[in-house]
């Protein structure tokens, strides 16, 4: 283990990567401390995957520096590979090979010794609840089990840094919870985890978040502080027709933003004192509504407020 | 390094073992195609359906006509009495060839005049037509000789006439067996098709499954990966060559007079070039469908421009140049030489050199391109 909790495990400085004219990652700097679960949050196309692949050493940045667990990834990608593990959105498993054989293959690629492999595989499979399926072919596993097997393969060489690109996309809630259980216990053992997610509830579980939009990091802090940093207050307005509510209120004085959330509208306003005004405006326009209540903002609200993006 | 290549190999063979159809897919197409080539690929023309229009109806004309089916080359399917009927038979495809003997054939022959025989052939298949015409002239020569003998003219040949007798002695294939010509070539053709497509599909499959990216974040190097991925196909390719060689010699009795070592060496160089080609295909394809389309586009020209069936010397100069970058061209020369002539490196070195250069360039370029295609 490489030291106390304060140490930086992943550092990126002014990393850029273009694909043709598109700046997929447009000058990103990050610093992830050892033992953190660090989340990259942003819509598709924000540059999360491109950034991940550069951190993992599979894609070269046009500019910038990446240091991972003290190793310069660009100068010495091979040394970095031994310390990190990268799991793309869909982990590449050999479907014709069994669970055990996939694990064996990845363990051998990383030069894990036989004895260490056996104990580690047993531990990881147990934690993933997959011990009964060791002989099953990977192609016959469910989506959630495949992701868990991917994680087991990715962890077999005991990396110090784990890079996960949307690891739970398309995974059922039960498997997702188990998956997060494994991540928490990894953090306990000092592994640094950097993951990207499009699920806002998952973002809340991270120790720190980077809000990414159009190839840049807009804000980077703990979920709690990001929420505090959100300008204004948030009201939830329940209504039979939330669209009508949004239409009536989005241009009202003091309203900073309106976000449709199913049966309600999340309305960001400059002050909590605006509530009676808003109610009056709805009355005036004859728009039916149930309730106007001040609520704690979620990460999605914060994301929209801070990046000015995705107002749906 | 060897540890990681070994684990790649283990994985490849394990996957192969898991696939119950693998052995069938690897062996059956080879054997089936060998038998198809062995039995069906021939330039010999037999039993050409022929229509006869005899306007002379003389002893001589009947005699000439009887020469045609006697050789087995022609089969008389119809006797007609008018040019129109003959044309109809050719048009409808009832007959491929028509023999027209004009009136006064016998009379002219007796008078020592030239007696015209008209032959019509369906030229839609130019190859068959050409060969059939060759047979006709042979038959007519025989008929003339017989006729002259019968009349006792041979002794009274015009003074001063020199008789030239042609002795044909084809070397290396005395019987001019088409099979001896085709089967050695088939080995190269089949090995090329199989190895190029297997290599290309196997690498593209890893890309499609996402395992390629996973492997690239492991400490395995690109060269180790490529070696681990292609060594099985090299082995399969050598097994292909051995299998077809043994079958060709044992079943089709094609002589194998050369050295197996020369064949092994040539096959190895050729397979390296084929693997390079397959890798090159894989770097240009994101999906297996794309690889399939590219493979399809590539294999036919390679086949046609190899000298397998069509002589390279008869091709336009520009296409002849193309054949120099075709590994199959060199390998077919080596195969035929090893099988039928029994010559070795002293004679074949230019072909070995060409093959070695091609293998080097193709493997080199494909490894370089492979790096780029990962981004």
């Amino acid at each position: 283990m490489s030291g106390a909790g304060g140490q930086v495990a992943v550092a990126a400085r002014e990393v850029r990567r273009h694909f043709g004219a598109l700046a997929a990652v447009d000058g990103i700097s990050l610093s992830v401390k050892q033992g953190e679960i660090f989340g990259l949050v942003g819509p598709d196309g924000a540059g999360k995957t491109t950034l991940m692949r550069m951190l993992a050493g599979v894609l070269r940045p046009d500019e910038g520096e990446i240091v991972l667990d003290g190793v310069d990834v660009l100068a010495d990608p091979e040394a970095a590979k031994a310390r990190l593990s990268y799991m793309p959105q869909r982990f590449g498993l050999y479907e014709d090979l069994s669970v055990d054989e996939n694990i064996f293959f990845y363990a051998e690629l990383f030069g894990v010794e036989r004895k260490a492999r056996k104990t580690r595989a047993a531990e990881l499979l147990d934690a993933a609840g997959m011990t009964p399926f060791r002989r099953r072919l990977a192609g016959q596993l469910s989506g959630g089990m495949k992701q868990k097997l991917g994680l087991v393969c990715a962890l077999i060489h005991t990396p110090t840094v784990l890079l996960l690109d949307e690891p739970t996309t398309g995974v059922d809630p039960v498997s997702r919870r188990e998956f997060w259980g494994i991540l928490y216990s990894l953090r306990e053992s000092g592994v640094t985890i950097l993951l990207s997610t499009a699920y806002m509830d998952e973002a809340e579980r991270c120790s720190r978040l980077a809000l990414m939009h159009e190839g840049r990091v807009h804000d980077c802090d703990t979920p709690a502080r990001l929420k505090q940093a959100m300008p204004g207050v948030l009201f939830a307005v329940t209504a039979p027709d939330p669209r009508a509510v949004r239409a009536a209120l989005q241009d009202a004085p003091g309203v900073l933003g309106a976000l449709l959330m199913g049966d309600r509208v999340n309305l960001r306003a400059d002050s909590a004192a605006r509530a009676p005004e808003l109610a009056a405006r709805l009355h005036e326009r004859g728009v039916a509504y149930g309730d106007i209540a001040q609520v704690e903002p979620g990460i999605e609200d914060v994301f929209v407020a801070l990046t000015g993006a995705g107002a749906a | 390094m060897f540890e990681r290549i070994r684990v790649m190999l283990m994985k490849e063979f394990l996957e192969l073992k898991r696939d119950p159809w693998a052995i069938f897919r690897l062996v059956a197409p080879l054997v089936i195609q060998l038998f198809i080539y062995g039995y069906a690929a021939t330039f010999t023309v037999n039993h050409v359906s022929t229509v006869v229009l005899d306007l002379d109806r003389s002893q001589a004309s009947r005699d000439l006509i009887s020469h045609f089916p006697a050789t087995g080359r022609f089969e008389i399917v119809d006797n007609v009495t008018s040019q129109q009927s003959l044309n109809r038979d050719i048009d409808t495809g009832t007959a491929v060839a028509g023999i027209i003997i004009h009136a006064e054939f016998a009379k002219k022959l007796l008078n020592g005049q030239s007696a015209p025989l008209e032959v019509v052939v369906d030229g839609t298949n130019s190859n068959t037509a050409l060969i059939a015409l060759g047979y006709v002239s042979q038959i007519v020569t025989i008929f003339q000789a017989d006729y002259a003998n019968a009349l006792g003219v041979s002794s009274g040949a015009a003074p001063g006439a020199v008789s030239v007798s042609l002795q044909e002695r084809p070397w290396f294939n005395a019987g001019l067996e088409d099979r001896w010509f085709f089967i050695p070539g088939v080995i190269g053709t089949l090995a090329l098709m199989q190895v190029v497509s297997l290599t290309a599909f196997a690498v593209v499959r890893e890309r499609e499954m996402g395992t390629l990216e996973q492997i690239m974040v492991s400490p395995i190097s690109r060269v180790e990966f490529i070696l681990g991925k292609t060594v099985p196909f090299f082995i399969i390719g050598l097994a292909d060559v051995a299998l077809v060689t043994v079958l060709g010699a044992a079943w089709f009795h094609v002589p194998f007079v050369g050295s197996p070592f020369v064949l092994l060496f040539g096959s190895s160089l050729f397979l390296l070039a084929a693997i390079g080609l397959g890798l090159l295909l894989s770097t240009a394809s994101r999906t297996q469908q794309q690889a399939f389309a590219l493979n399809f586009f590539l294999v036919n020209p390679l086949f046609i421009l190899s000298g397998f069936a069509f002589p390279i010397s008869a091709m336009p100069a520009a296409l002849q140049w193309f054949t120099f970058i075709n590994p199959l061209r060199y390998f077919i020369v080596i195969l035929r030489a090893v099988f039928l002539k029994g010559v070795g490196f002293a004679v074949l070195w230019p072909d070995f050199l060409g093959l070695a250069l091609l293998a080097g360039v193709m493997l080199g370029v494909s490894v370089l391109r492979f790096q780029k295609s990962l981004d």
Side-chain angles (χ1 to χ4, degrees), chain B residues 250-320:
Chain B
W251 184 272
F252 289 111
H253 305 295
V254 179
F256 186 95
V257 295
S259 143
F261 176 70
V262 177
L263 179 64
L264 177 70
F265 189 66
S267 307
S268 303
L269 287 179
F270 175 70
L271 289 170
L272 288 180
I275 285 170
L277 206 57
L279 279 174
L280 216 52
L281 274 187
S282 78
T283 62
S285 319
R286 295 261 128 208
T287 63
Q288 292 188 76
Q289 277 101 321
Q290 287 173 2
F292 183 81
L294 267 181
N295 181 45
F296 191 73
F297 169 77
L298 194 79
V299 163
N300 234 339
L302 284 181
F303 172 74
I304 290 169
L305 298 178
S306 67
F308 171 77
F310 315 110
I312 292 173
S313 56
M315 292 172 193
L319 284 180
Q320 289 198 30

Side-chain angles (χ1 to χ4, degrees), chain B residues 23 32 169 249 337 367:
Chain B
I23 288 298
I32 291 169
R169 291 216 297 122
V367 170

Side-chain angles (χ1 to χ4, degrees), chain A residues 183-228:
Chain A
L183 295 190
Y184 285 136
S185 62
L186 283 171
R187 186 179 56 175
E188 294 296 309
S189 63
V191 176
T192 308
I193 299 166
L194 193 146
L195 62 90
S196 70
T197 182
Y199 293 124
M200 295 301 160
D201 61 318
E202 265 185 12
E204 306 256 3
R205 294 166 175 255
C206 296
S207 52
R208 276 200 306 150
L209 289 177
L211 304 186
M212 282 183 72
H213 187 53
E214 290 174 349
R216 294 166 184 273
V217 170
H218 273 257
D219 289 274
C220 179
D221 216 326
T222 62
R225 265 186 292 190
L226 281 173
K227 286 175 193 172
Q228 283 166 16

Side-chain angles (χ1 to χ4, degrees), chain A residues 53 81 86 90 94 101, chain B residues 18 206 213-214 216:
Chain A
R53 296 186 68 212
K81 281 177 184 176
Y86 166 56
R90 205 171 52 107
Y94 291 97
E101 285 160 350
Chain B
R18 280 295 141 75
E206 297 247 5
E213 178 149 277
Q214 212 64 60
M216 286 305 137

Side-chain angles (χ1 to χ4, degrees), chain A residues 160-179:
Chain A
T160 55
V161 176
L162 184 56
L163 303 170
L164 306 170
D165 192 4
E166 302 203 1
T168 57
T169 299
V171 171
D172 68 276
V174 176
S175 293
R176 241 167 96 184
R177 204 173 314 139
E178 283 172 348
F179 197 92

